[in-house]
Amino acid sequence: MAHLTDIEIAQAKELQHIKHIAAKLQVAEDDLEMYGKYKAKLPLNLIDEEKIKENNLVLVTALTPTPAGEGKTTVSIGLTEGLNIIEKQATVVLREPSLGPVFGIKGGAAGGGYSQVVPMEDINLHFTGDFNAIEKANNLLSALIDNNLQSKTNNLNIDPRTILWKRVIDMNDRSLRQITIGLGGTANGIPREDGFNITPASEVMAILCMATSFDDLKERLGNIFIGFTFDNKPVFARDLKAQDAMAILLKDAIKPNLVQTLEENPAIIHGGPFANIAQGTNTIIATKMGLSLSNYVVTEAGFGADLGAEKFLNIKSQYAGLNPKCVVLVVTIRALRHHGGSPKEEYNTPNVARVQNGFENVEKHIENIRKFHIEPVVAINSFISDSDEEVQFVIDACSELGVQAVVSEGWAKGGEGTINLAKAVVDVVENKATHYKPLYDWKSPVKEKIEIIAKEIYGADGVTYDKKAELNLRRINRLGFNDFAVCMAKTQKSFSDDERLIGRPKGFTVNVREIEIAAGAQFIIPILGKMMRMPGLPANPASENMSIDNSGVISGLS
Ligand SMILES: Nc1ncnc2c1ncn2[C@@H]1O[C@H](COP(=O)(O)OP(=O)(O)O)[C@@H](O)[C@H]1O
Ligand SMILES: O=COP(=O)(O)O
Ligand SMILES: [Mg+2]
């Protein structure tokens, strides 16, 4: 088959009017909030807690990925197509793409090949404006904080040196990481250090993902912890009366978005946090919406299972009362070669010895998934460069662990390429499902929660804490936030906090540099190693290969 690019495949598709996709979910056209012919928002009153309990949630995760990504989103979409082919009514529920990767290295997040959600250009660019709304709500709070510093009347006496809240922009722009604001004299505000994070790292994004209703969203926004006054009293967004104005900016963003797959199956896309610096899962509202309207929901969580899946299971599922019945672990031969020692230029060169050496990474992820009392299915996301010998090794090695490994050809063939994977997933869901169990109780002591994740999921021998992290623990205790979930900020390239340790590192400890507080999201965020919340563009950004013609046809978007 001639190799068309992702965007060529997507543009060749004649889309169904979104009302026909909604009809597959028994949602009437009048219930839709249309954004043109191919996008719509779904009203929150369609969420049905009883239906959620009856339907089946499947989580797609991956082994420790290479920078290109190993195909979670692509396999999630392909699996959904395959489930619908075998008569299981399935909806895929995904996160919204960030413009950072779109114009940076990785590209969009609408899948690939013949497993995509469409209209891919819209989804990868401005979609329905949710990222814009999140950005403005975040930056309104920043403006209100600096306005209060300047105020002569209702000044809260905030100590500018303690302000933790950063501005955000959805772009990879390293020049904005650390800036000085308020220059130019008394009319321009109080000079202080500030900086921009990328929008997926905003706590407003995390709050949108954790909110279970509009009232809950508003309360969480008010709980955002900003910093301290000069007499060391904590300051929250509610002290600036910011929560309602921020919620007004999010009044549409809280509703999940409905689009379609290439095979005209429903796709709900909502929220967009990264899993290395945030929780990396789509919104609770979108997952519940999908489960209210479909027999099967296939969803994904960012990067490897040590990040997105750990947070999906310990944070999102535990908080929202979700019960994932199967975890699909996406494995690529390319990533196994990498973990077996292949240099980047040999990622696409068959080498069964490297695959054998790298398999220890998969073994650890399988062990981890089972710690949540969930049975995994391994999806070997088939790449052109895979050799039969390497694939057979993975199938046999998984079989020795009692795990079914199935070749997934969704990228090349769409749903026809994932029927076997769909059948394997249905077998686990319908015949081997247990009740998932989180690894820790949010009410456990903070250090205990951190150590459970580090030891059980990363395989660390222990956890060390810098002095700043110990001080942060005392602050968390003083503020009464010990019962928050732990949202680890760690490199996605290794189980450890050292990106050079590939495969299944052993005999290491992880070091907590500091612990941030996201009081609105109810997370504490241990920062392991160097974490970047504002990525930079690469030497040759993807933007250089993009073009748009006079009739608006885009090329180069992936
Ligand atoms: N089987 C495959 N063959 C070739 N390219 C693929 C395949 N699966 C995914 N890709 C491409 O790899 C990139 C990452 O895929 P994606 O599904 O976004 O991964 P993840 O969600 O794990 O980051 C995308 O550009 C996608 O088109
Ligand atoms: O948070 C990262 O998500 P992907 O792994 O899908 O890029
Ligand atoms: Mg993805």
Side-chain angles (χ1 to χ4, degrees), residues 44-57 287-295 320-323 325:
L44 301 194
N45 62 14
L46 292 176
I47 290 175
D48 179 330
E49 292 297 342
E50 286 316 304
K51 292 245 179 77
I52 289 167
K53 292 192 186 87
E54 293 160 17
N55 290 320
N56 302 302
L57 179 58
T287 304
K288 286 194 164 188
M289 183 70 76
L291 287 167
S292 301
L293 302 171
S294 308
N295 183 230
L322 299 172
N323 177 27
K325 295 200 178 138

Side-chain angles (χ1 to χ4, degrees), residues 250-542:
L250 298 165
K251 71 178 182 59
D252 297 317
I254 193 169
K255 295 169 222 162
N257 305 295
L258 177 68
V259 287
Q260 62 194 282
T261 66
L262 284 175
E263 294 174 22
E264 299 169 7
N265 290 305
I268 297 175
I269 307 182
H270 198 214
F274 296 154
N276 54 348
I277 53 178
Q279 83 277 24
T281 68
N282 56 67
T283 63
I284 286 174
I285 282 172
T287 304
K288 286 194 164 188
M289 183 70 76
L291 287 167
S292 301
L293 302 171
S294 308
N295 183 230
Y296 273 77
V297 161
V298 179
T299 193
E300 43 95 59
F303 295 127
D306 56 317
L307 284 167
E310 184 274 309
K311 295 167 181 178
F312 188 98
L313 297 168
N314 279 326
I315 301 178
K316 178 177 175 181
S317 299
Q318 181 171 188
Y319 179 78
L322 299 172
N323 177 27
K325 295 200 178 138
C326 177
V327 170
V328 174
L329 179 66
V330 173
V331 168
T332 62
I333 299 299
R334 166 179 77 181
L336 284 175
R337 293 175 191 142
H338 157 71
H339 287 293
S342 291
K344 191 162 186 279
E345 56 276 13
E346 292 175 27
Y347 280 179
N348 295 318
T349 308
N351 185 323
V352 74
R354 290 266 167 75
V355 169
Q356 289 166 343
N357 291 341
F359 187 76
E360 61 180 12
N361 183 271
V362 172
E363 196 167 19
K364 175 59 178 163
H365 284 299
I366 287 172
E367 286 171 21
N368 288 350
I369 291 164
R370 283 173 157 163
K371 290 178 181 185
F372 292 95
H373 295 233
I374 302 176
E375 193 50 27
V377 170
V378 166
I380 303 171
N381 181 18
S382 174
F383 276 69
I384 294 167
S385 61
D386 297 353
S387 73
D388 293 345
E389 194 187 6
E390 292 169 310
V391 170
Q392 195 54 52
F393 166 78
V394 174
I395 291 170
D396 296 342
C398 288
S399 172
E400 281 170 31
L401 299 171
V403 174
Q404 192 172 1
V406 180
V407 174
S408 173
E409 298 182 284
W411 181 83
K413 301 176 182 169
E416 278 310 311
T418 65
I419 288 173
N420 290 335
L421 176 62
K423 286 177 180 170
V425 166
V426 168
D427 179 44
V428 169
V429 168
E430 298 185 359
N431 306 319
K432 299 174 188 163
T434 55
H435 201 286
Y436 119 93
K437 193 170 174 303
L439 272 194
Y440 66 78
D441 185 324
W442 286 25
K443 292 188 170 31
S444 301
V446 171
K447 278 194 171 182
E448 184 183 311
K449 291 182 276 193
I450 294 173
E451 299 199 357
I452 285 172
I453 297 169
K455 290 180 178 176
E456 294 297 325
I457 300 295
Y458 304 161
D461 292 339
V463 182
T464 56
Y465 296 82
D466 283 358
K467 186 160 177 31
K468 186 171 184 186
E470 293 288 0
L471 288 171
N472 296 152
L473 285 167
R474 285 206 281 279
R475 169 186 290 181
I476 288 163
N477 185 49
R478 176 162 82 90
L479 293 171
F481 296 154
N482 287 324
D483 289 356
F484 282 0
V486 170
C487 185
M488 300 286 251
K490 178 183 77 68
T491 177
Q492 66 275 14
K493 297 178 180 175
S494 170
F495 274 114
S496 74
D497 58 9
D498 178 348
E499 65 180 36
R500 295 165 302 178
L501 301 184
I502 55 178
R504 179 178 185 162
K506 291 191 176 107
F508 66 93
T509 57
V510 292
N511 180 55
V512 179
R513 214 181 55 189
E514 58 184 299
I515 306 176
E516 294 184 358
I517 295 167
Q522 294 178 301
F523 296 163
I524 54 169
I525 306 166
I527 311 285
L528 306 189
K530 295 184 299 296
M531 279 319 300
M532 196 67 71
R533 285 210 160 87
M534 171 50 87
L537 286 172
N540 299 101

Side-chain angles (χ1 to χ4, degrees), residues 167-180:
R167 287 161 163 89
V168 296
I169 185 171
D170 193 35
M171 199 54 69
N172 286 357
D173 189 350
R174 62 172 62 82
S175 307
L176 293 177
R177 283 175 186 155
Q178 196 150 353
I179 58 176
T180 305

Side-chain angles (χ1 to χ4, degrees), residues 6 68-74 106 108 111-113 300 381-383 411:
D6 293 348
E70 302 320 312
K72 291 182 300 296
T73 303
T74 304
K106 192 164 179 182
E300 43 95 59
N381 181 18
S382 174
F383 276 69
W411 181 83

Side-chain angles (χ1 to χ4, degrees), residues 187-239:
N188 290 357
I190 307 294
R192 71 179 180 92
E193 281 192 53
D194 192 9
F196 279 78
N197 290 331
I198 192 165
T199 302
S202 166
E203 187 185 344
V204 174
M205 176 71 83
I207 285 170
L208 185 80
C209 290
M210 293 301 290
T212 52
S213 69
F214 197 70
D215 281 343
D216 182 40
L217 174 82
K218 217 161 49 173
E219 186 181 352
R220 287 171 175 276
L221 292 170
N223 290 342
I224 291 172
F225 172 61
I226 292 166
F228 289 97
T229 61
F230 281 102
D231 46 5
N232 211 16
K233 290 196 182 64
V235 180
F236 300 92
R238 59 178 178 267
D239 299 326

